[in-house]
Amino acid sequence: MVQVGDVSIGSGKPKICASITETDRKSIIAAADILLQKRVDIIEWRIDYYREAGHWDMVLETLQRLKMSLYGRPLLVTFRTKEEGGSQEIETAAYRELLDHIAQSGLVDMIDVEIFKDFTYEELAGDRTPEVKERFENLKQWIESLRQRVVVVGSYHNFDRTPEDAELKDRLQIIDESGVDIPKMAVMPANRLDVMRLMMFTLQMAEQMDKPLITMSMSRIGSISRISGEAFGSAVTFGSIGQESAPGQLPVNKLEEMLDMIHQNYQ
Ligand SMILES: O=C1C[C@@](O)(C(=O)O)C[C@@H](O)[C@@H]1O
């Protein structure tokens, strides 16, 4: 279990996270005000949507305002890169510099790090060359430095497909090995079997791992994976308020009802 403020991630009901996807400061704060009125456990600020995401000083100023508006509600900051379904590209050095500034600001509770940003699957899953080993070691050290200030969520997104079971497993092991607090995987199903595979995989891995795990099968047919976390082992579910930040998200109030219902049956 990972504790963030009052929120226990990895025990009981899956926690509800909703994202702010606005492009300017005023709308970001307005969106936070709306989210605060909902039963949302964690608020995610998707900075890749923010027009000024390239300027860390502007990001920090907005973050300060946002933090004030949240009254202690846990805040996750995510820069989702274009390669993993986000809305902006960013060089690795700038990505790390931005996340470093955010972690050091003391204004956020959790940060999302894309583990495969600089690596191909083949580089990490097979025998690693000395050069790859060194780069991965460097990533681990950076993650450890972030962890001094924030909880680190290590993510992998595939908007094209659901990889085969062996690849899912390798990727999760790699995320775990990177030293993050919470591994997260979001994949796209081609059919209902892919949704089942992801849920089965989640169940098996959640039983073996000593960390909370977050998974989701995206798109409409994957929606079931967003409510079944308590049954199959996904600790956080992402819901929408207006605009979805990923396909298949369910509205947070409906999500809350469904999670409550399942939770009661588990007592
Ligand atoms: O990683 C995730 C999960 C997500 O992609 C989803 O499918 O709900 C939504 C993103 O905002 C978030 O950063």
Side-chain angles (χ1 to χ4, degrees), residues 19 21 44 46 76 78 80 112 155 157 159 184 186 216 218 226 238-239 245-247 249:
S19 310
T21 55
E44 177 186 54
R46 281 281 304 269
L76 161 68
T78 299
R80 181 71 56 241
D112 181 297
S155 67
H157 297 74
F159 276 71
K184 178 173 79 176
M216 62 281 283
M218 292 185 281
R226 296 184 184 273
F238 287 73
S245 73
Q249 286 179 348

PDB file of all heavy atoms in Angstrom, residues 19 21 44 46 76 78 80 112 155 157 159 184 186 216 218 226 238-239 245-247 249, ligand 1:
ATOM      1  N   SER A  19      -8.666  13.863 -14.346  1.00  0.00           N
ATOM      2  CA  SER A  19      -7.584  14.670 -14.917  1.00  0.00           C
ATOM      3  C   SER A  19      -8.029  16.065 -15.314  1.00  0.00           C
ATOM      4  O   SER A  19      -9.150  16.269 -15.784  1.00  0.00           O
ATOM      5  CB  SER A  19      -7.035  13.984 -16.172  1.00  0.00           C
ATOM      6  OG  SER A  19      -6.756  12.634 -15.897  1.00  0.00           O
ATOM      7  N   THR A  21      -7.309  18.768 -18.031  1.00  0.00           N
ATOM      8  CA  THR A  21      -6.713  18.748 -19.374  1.00  0.00           C
ATOM      9  C   THR A  21      -6.872  20.103 -20.067  1.00  0.00           C
ATOM     10  O   THR A  21      -6.959  20.174 -21.289  1.00  0.00           O
ATOM     11  CB  THR A  21      -7.385  17.654 -20.232  1.00  0.00           C
ATOM     12  OG1 THR A  21      -8.806  17.890 -20.220  1.00  0.00           O
ATOM     13  CG2 THR A  21      -7.115  16.272 -19.711  1.00  0.00           C
ATOM     14  N   GLU A  44      -5.287  14.578 -11.215  1.00  0.00           N
ATOM     15  CA  GLU A  44      -4.125  14.533 -12.108  1.00  0.00           C
ATOM     16  C   GLU A  44      -4.097  15.800 -12.942  1.00  0.00           C
ATOM     17  O   GLU A  44      -5.088  16.138 -13.596  1.00  0.00           O
ATOM     18  CB  GLU A  44      -4.207  13.323 -13.057  1.00  0.00           C
ATOM     19  CG  GLU A  44      -3.052  13.284 -14.061  1.00  0.00           C
ATOM     20  CD  GLU A  44      -3.172  12.190 -15.121  1.00  0.00           C
ATOM     21  OE1 GLU A  44      -4.207  12.123 -15.808  1.00  0.00           O
ATOM     22  OE2 GLU A  44      -2.218  11.393 -15.254  1.00  0.00           O
ATOM     23  N   ARG A  46      -2.595  17.061 -16.193  1.00  0.00           N
ATOM     24  CA  ARG A  46      -1.896  16.635 -17.402  1.00  0.00           C
ATOM     25  C   ARG A  46      -1.217  17.854 -18.020  1.00  0.00           C
ATOM     26  O   ARG A  46      -1.833  18.592 -18.780  1.00  0.00           O
ATOM     27  CB  ARG A  46      -2.926  16.018 -18.368  1.00  0.00           C
ATOM     28  CG  ARG A  46      -3.322  14.575 -18.010  1.00  0.00           C
ATOM     29  CD  ARG A  46      -2.268  13.569 -18.451  1.00  0.00           C
ATOM     30  NE  ARG A  46      -2.025  13.707 -19.868  1.00  0.00           N
ATOM     31  CZ  ARG A  46      -2.680  13.026 -20.816  1.00  0.00           C
ATOM     32  NH1 ARG A  46      -3.561  12.111 -20.492  1.00  0.00           N
ATOM     33  NH2 ARG A  46      -2.405  13.217 -22.092  1.00  0.00           N
ATOM     34  N   LEU A  76      -1.424  14.527  -8.630  1.00  0.00           N
ATOM     35  CA  LEU A  76      -0.503  13.771  -9.497  1.00  0.00           C
ATOM     36  C   LEU A  76      -0.207  14.653 -10.697  1.00  0.00           C
ATOM     37  O   LEU A  76      -1.133  15.194 -11.306  1.00  0.00           O
ATOM     38  CB  LEU A  76      -1.207  12.470  -9.944  1.00  0.00           C
ATOM     39  CG  LEU A  76      -0.675  11.724 -11.167  1.00  0.00           C
ATOM     40  CD1 LEU A  76       0.710  11.120 -10.894  1.00  0.00           C
ATOM     41  CD2 LEU A  76      -1.640  10.604 -11.577  1.00  0.00           C
ATOM     42  N   THR A  78       1.447  14.788 -14.476  1.00  0.00           N
ATOM     43  CA  THR A  78       1.818  13.902 -15.588  1.00  0.00           C
ATOM     44  C   THR A  78       2.130  14.724 -16.829  1.00  0.00           C
ATOM     45  O   THR A  78       1.325  15.573 -17.210  1.00  0.00           O
ATOM     46  CB  THR A  78       0.622  12.977 -15.940  1.00  0.00           C
ATOM     47  OG1 THR A  78       0.302  12.190 -14.796  1.00  0.00           O
ATOM     48  CG2 THR A  78       0.940  12.062 -17.110  1.00  0.00           C
ATOM     49  N   ARG A  80       2.313  13.556 -20.356  1.00  0.00           N
ATOM     50  CA  ARG A  80       2.174  12.384 -21.235  1.00  0.00           C
ATOM     51  C   ARG A  80       2.731  12.751 -22.603  1.00  0.00           C
ATOM     52  O   ARG A  80       2.246  13.684 -23.254  1.00  0.00           O
ATOM     53  CB  ARG A  80       0.677  11.990 -21.330  1.00  0.00           C
ATOM     54  CG  ARG A  80       0.394  10.795 -22.186  1.00  0.00           C
ATOM     55  CD  ARG A  80       0.858   9.464 -21.594  1.00  0.00           C
ATOM     56  NE  ARG A  80       0.299   9.207 -20.290  1.00  0.00           N
ATOM     57  CZ  ARG A  80       1.038   9.055 -19.165  1.00  0.00           C
ATOM     58  NH1 ARG A  80       2.361   9.097 -19.196  1.00  0.00           N
ATOM     59  NH2 ARG A  80       0.454   8.825 -18.008  1.00  0.00           N
ATOM     60  N   ASP A 112       4.165  11.148 -12.547  1.00  0.00           N
ATOM     61  CA  ASP A 112       4.162  10.046 -13.500  1.00  0.00           C
ATOM     62  C   ASP A 112       5.454  10.083 -14.310  1.00  0.00           C
ATOM     63  O   ASP A 112       5.840  11.137 -14.819  1.00  0.00           O
ATOM     64  CB  ASP A 112       2.947  10.212 -14.432  1.00  0.00           C
ATOM     65  CG  ASP A 112       2.810   9.100 -15.465  1.00  0.00           C
ATOM     66  OD1 ASP A 112       3.724   8.962 -16.321  1.00  0.00           O
ATOM     67  OD2 ASP A 112       1.808   8.377 -15.436  1.00  0.00           O
ATOM     68  N   SER A 155       4.929   4.540 -15.731  1.00  0.00           N
ATOM     69  CA  SER A 155       3.853   4.172 -16.658  1.00  0.00           C
ATOM     70  C   SER A 155       4.321   3.637 -17.996  1.00  0.00           C
ATOM     71  O   SER A 155       5.449   3.874 -18.444  1.00  0.00           O
ATOM     72  CB  SER A 155       2.949   5.384 -16.874  1.00  0.00           C
ATOM     73  OG  SER A 155       3.647   6.391 -17.557  1.00  0.00           O
ATOM     74  N   HIS A 157       2.133   3.103 -21.838  1.00  0.00           N
ATOM     75  CA  HIS A 157       0.876   3.210 -22.583  1.00  0.00           C
ATOM     76  C   HIS A 157       1.051   2.659 -23.972  1.00  0.00           C
ATOM     77  O   HIS A 157       2.045   2.945 -24.618  1.00  0.00           O
ATOM     78  CB  HIS A 157       0.446   4.672 -22.727  1.00  0.00           C
ATOM     79  CG  HIS A 157       0.175   5.309 -21.420  1.00  0.00           C
ATOM     80  ND1 HIS A 157       1.173   5.666 -20.566  1.00  0.00           N
ATOM     81  CD2 HIS A 157      -0.985   5.605 -20.809  1.00  0.00           C
ATOM     82  CE1 HIS A 157       0.643   6.160 -19.470  1.00  0.00           C
ATOM     83  NE2 HIS A 157      -0.665   6.135 -19.581  1.00  0.00           N
ATOM     84  N   PHE A 159      -1.403   2.757 -27.212  1.00  0.00           N
ATOM     85  CA  PHE A 159      -2.700   3.143 -27.790  1.00  0.00           C
ATOM     86  C   PHE A 159      -3.023   2.342 -29.047  1.00  0.00           C
ATOM     87  O   PHE A 159      -4.076   2.546 -29.652  1.00  0.00           O
ATOM     88  CB  PHE A 159      -2.717   4.653 -28.106  1.00  0.00           C
ATOM     89  CG  PHE A 159      -3.086   5.500 -26.914  1.00  0.00           C
ATOM     90  CD1 PHE A 159      -2.209   5.647 -25.847  1.00  0.00           C
ATOM     91  CD2 PHE A 159      -4.320   6.138 -26.841  1.00  0.00           C
ATOM     92  CE1 PHE A 159      -2.547   6.413 -24.729  1.00  0.00           C
ATOM     93  CE2 PHE A 159      -4.670   6.909 -25.735  1.00  0.00           C
ATOM     94  CZ  PHE A 159      -3.783   7.047 -24.679  1.00  0.00           C
ATOM     95  N   LYS A 184       2.128   1.369 -13.615  1.00  0.00           N
ATOM     96  CA  LYS A 184       0.832   1.605 -14.277  1.00  0.00           C
ATOM     97  C   LYS A 184       0.912   1.245 -15.764  1.00  0.00           C
ATOM     98  O   LYS A 184       1.852   1.642 -16.453  1.00  0.00           O
ATOM     99  CB  LYS A 184       0.457   3.079 -14.142  1.00  0.00           C
ATOM    100  CG  LYS A 184      -0.849   3.431 -14.835  1.00  0.00           C
ATOM    101  CD  LYS A 184      -1.276   4.851 -14.548  1.00  0.00           C
ATOM    102  CE  LYS A 184      -0.497   5.812 -15.406  1.00  0.00           C
ATOM    103  NZ  LYS A 184      -0.947   7.206 -15.234  1.00  0.00           N
ATOM    104  N   ALA A 186      -1.488   1.097 -19.380  1.00  0.00           N
ATOM    105  CA  ALA A 186      -2.746   1.340 -20.093  1.00  0.00           C
ATOM    106  C   ALA A 186      -2.556   0.842 -21.526  1.00  0.00           C
ATOM    107  O   ALA A 186      -1.625   1.278 -22.208  1.00  0.00           O
ATOM    108  CB  ALA A 186      -3.070   2.827 -20.096  1.00  0.00           C
ATOM    109  N   MET A 216      -5.349  -0.512 -17.028  1.00  0.00           N
ATOM    110  CA  MET A 216      -6.628  -0.302 -17.687  1.00  0.00           C
ATOM    111  C   MET A 216      -6.543  -0.713 -19.137  1.00  0.00           C
ATOM    112  O   MET A 216      -5.512  -0.599 -19.780  1.00  0.00           O
ATOM    113  CB  MET A 216      -7.133   1.138 -17.550  1.00  0.00           C
ATOM    114  CG  MET A 216      -6.298   2.214 -18.157  1.00  0.00           C
ATOM    115  SD  MET A 216      -4.892   2.655 -17.133  1.00  0.00           S
ATOM    116  CE  MET A 216      -5.634   3.639 -15.875  1.00  0.00           C
ATOM    117  N   MET A 218      -8.105   0.286 -22.518  1.00  0.00           N
ATOM    118  CA  MET A 218      -8.768   1.524 -22.962  1.00  0.00           C
ATOM    119  C   MET A 218      -9.908   1.229 -23.933  1.00  0.00           C
ATOM    120  O   MET A 218     -10.168   0.086 -24.272  1.00  0.00           O
ATOM    121  CB  MET A 218      -7.723   2.460 -23.589  1.00  0.00           C
ATOM    122  CG  MET A 218      -6.733   2.996 -22.548  1.00  0.00           C
ATOM    123  SD  MET A 218      -5.580   4.217 -23.197  1.00  0.00           S
ATOM    124  CE  MET A 218      -4.393   3.173 -24.040  1.00  0.00           C
ATOM    125  N   ARG A 226     -12.183  -0.650 -15.872  1.00  0.00           N
ATOM    126  CA  ARG A 226     -12.092   0.575 -15.069  1.00  0.00           C
ATOM    127  C   ARG A 226     -12.979   0.519 -13.827  1.00  0.00           C
ATOM    128  O   ARG A 226     -12.949   1.421 -13.012  1.00  0.00           O
ATOM    129  CB  ARG A 226     -12.447   1.788 -15.934  1.00  0.00           C
ATOM    130  CG  ARG A 226     -11.453   2.022 -17.079  1.00  0.00           C
ATOM    131  CD  ARG A 226     -11.814   3.276 -17.830  1.00  0.00           C
ATOM    132  NE  ARG A 226     -10.947   3.494 -18.983  1.00  0.00           N
ATOM    133  CZ  ARG A 226      -9.790   4.135 -18.953  1.00  0.00           C
ATOM    134  NH1 ARG A 226      -9.337   4.617 -17.809  1.00  0.00           N
ATOM    135  NH2 ARG A 226      -9.067   4.309 -20.048  1.00  0.00           N
ATOM    136  N   PHE A 238      -9.147   5.860 -13.547  1.00  0.00           N
ATOM    137  CA  PHE A 238      -9.234   7.231 -14.052  1.00  0.00           C
ATOM    138  C   PHE A 238     -10.623   7.469 -14.632  1.00  0.00           C
ATOM    139  O   PHE A 238     -11.050   6.731 -15.519  1.00  0.00           O
ATOM    140  CB  PHE A 238      -8.171   7.476 -15.129  1.00  0.00           C
ATOM    141  CG  PHE A 238      -6.780   7.591 -14.570  1.00  0.00           C
ATOM    142  CD1 PHE A 238      -6.105   6.470 -14.092  1.00  0.00           C
ATOM    143  CD2 PHE A 238      -6.147   8.814 -14.495  1.00  0.00           C
ATOM    144  CE1 PHE A 238      -4.829   6.577 -13.554  1.00  0.00           C
ATOM    145  CE2 PHE A 238      -4.865   8.941 -13.971  1.00  0.00           C
ATOM    146  CZ  PHE A 238      -4.214   7.809 -13.493  1.00  0.00           C
ATOM    147  N   GLY A 239     -11.295   8.507 -14.100  1.00  0.00           N
ATOM    148  CA  GLY A 239     -12.634   8.822 -14.596  1.00  0.00           C
ATOM    149  C   GLY A 239     -12.657  10.197 -15.219  1.00  0.00           C
ATOM    150  O   GLY A 239     -11.715  10.977 -15.084  1.00  0.00           O
ATOM    151  N   SER A 245      -9.629  12.013 -20.661  1.00  0.00           N
ATOM    152  CA  SER A 245      -8.201  12.157 -20.963  1.00  0.00           C
ATOM    153  C   SER A 245      -7.677  10.890 -21.623  1.00  0.00           C
ATOM    154  O   SER A 245      -6.514  10.801 -21.990  1.00  0.00           O
ATOM    155  CB  SER A 245      -7.398  12.517 -19.704  1.00  0.00           C
ATOM    156  OG  SER A 245      -7.286  11.424 -18.841  1.00  0.00           O
ATOM    157  N   ALA A 246      -8.533   9.894 -21.773  1.00  0.00           N
ATOM    158  CA  ALA A 246      -8.187   8.681 -22.518  1.00  0.00           C
ATOM    159  C   ALA A 246      -9.499   7.981 -22.889  1.00  0.00           C
ATOM    160  O   ALA A 246     -10.505   8.139 -22.190  1.00  0.00           O
ATOM    161  CB  ALA A 246      -7.317   7.758 -21.678  1.00  0.00           C
ATOM    162  N   PRO A 247      -9.498   7.214 -23.978  1.00  0.00           N
ATOM    163  CA  PRO A 247     -10.742   6.590 -24.428  1.00  0.00           C
ATOM    164  C   PRO A 247     -11.277   5.534 -23.458  1.00  0.00           C
ATOM    165  O   PRO A 247     -10.513   4.745 -22.911  1.00  0.00           O
ATOM    166  CB  PRO A 247     -10.363   5.951 -25.768  1.00  0.00           C
ATOM    167  CG  PRO A 247      -8.880   5.943 -25.828  1.00  0.00           C
ATOM    168  CD  PRO A 247      -8.370   6.971 -24.884  1.00  0.00           C
ATOM    169  N   GLN A 249     -12.938   6.140 -20.590  1.00  0.00           N
ATOM    170  CA  GLN A 249     -13.127   6.560 -19.194  1.00  0.00           C
ATOM    171  C   GLN A 249     -14.614   6.763 -18.911  1.00  0.00           C
ATOM    172  O   GLN A 249     -15.368   7.194 -19.776  1.00  0.00           O
ATOM    173  CB  GLN A 249     -12.378   7.872 -18.929  1.00  0.00           C
ATOM    174  CG  GLN A 249     -10.890   7.677 -18.830  1.00  0.00           C
ATOM    175  CD  GLN A 249     -10.159   8.989 -18.582  1.00  0.00           C
ATOM    176  OE1 GLN A 249     -10.732  10.067 -18.704  1.00  0.00           O
ATOM    177  NE2 GLN A 249      -8.888   8.890 -18.259  1.00  0.00           N
TER     178      GLN A 249
HETATM  179  O1  LIG B   1      -2.045   7.094 -17.483  1.00  0.00           O
HETATM  180  C1  LIG B   1      -3.153   7.529 -17.442  1.00  0.00           C
HETATM  181  C2  LIG B   1      -4.303   6.686 -17.639  1.00  0.00           C
HETATM  182  C3  LIG B   1      -5.118   7.164 -18.801  1.00  0.00           C
HETATM  183  O2  LIG B   1      -4.381   6.989 -19.973  1.00  0.00           O
HETATM  184  C4  LIG B   1      -6.393   6.303 -18.909  1.00  0.00           C
HETATM  185  O3  LIG B   1      -6.429   5.436 -19.774  1.00  0.00           O
HETATM  186  O4  LIG B   1      -7.318   6.518 -18.133  1.00  0.00           O
HETATM  187  C5  LIG B   1      -5.469   8.630 -18.580  1.00  0.00           C
HETATM  188  C6  LIG B   1      -4.252   9.502 -18.384  1.00  0.00           C
HETATM  189  O5  LIG B   1      -4.641  10.836 -18.076  1.00  0.00           O
HETATM  190  C7  LIG B   1      -3.403   8.978 -17.277  1.00  0.00           C
HETATM  191  O6  LIG B   1      -2.192   9.693 -17.212  1.00  0.00           O
END
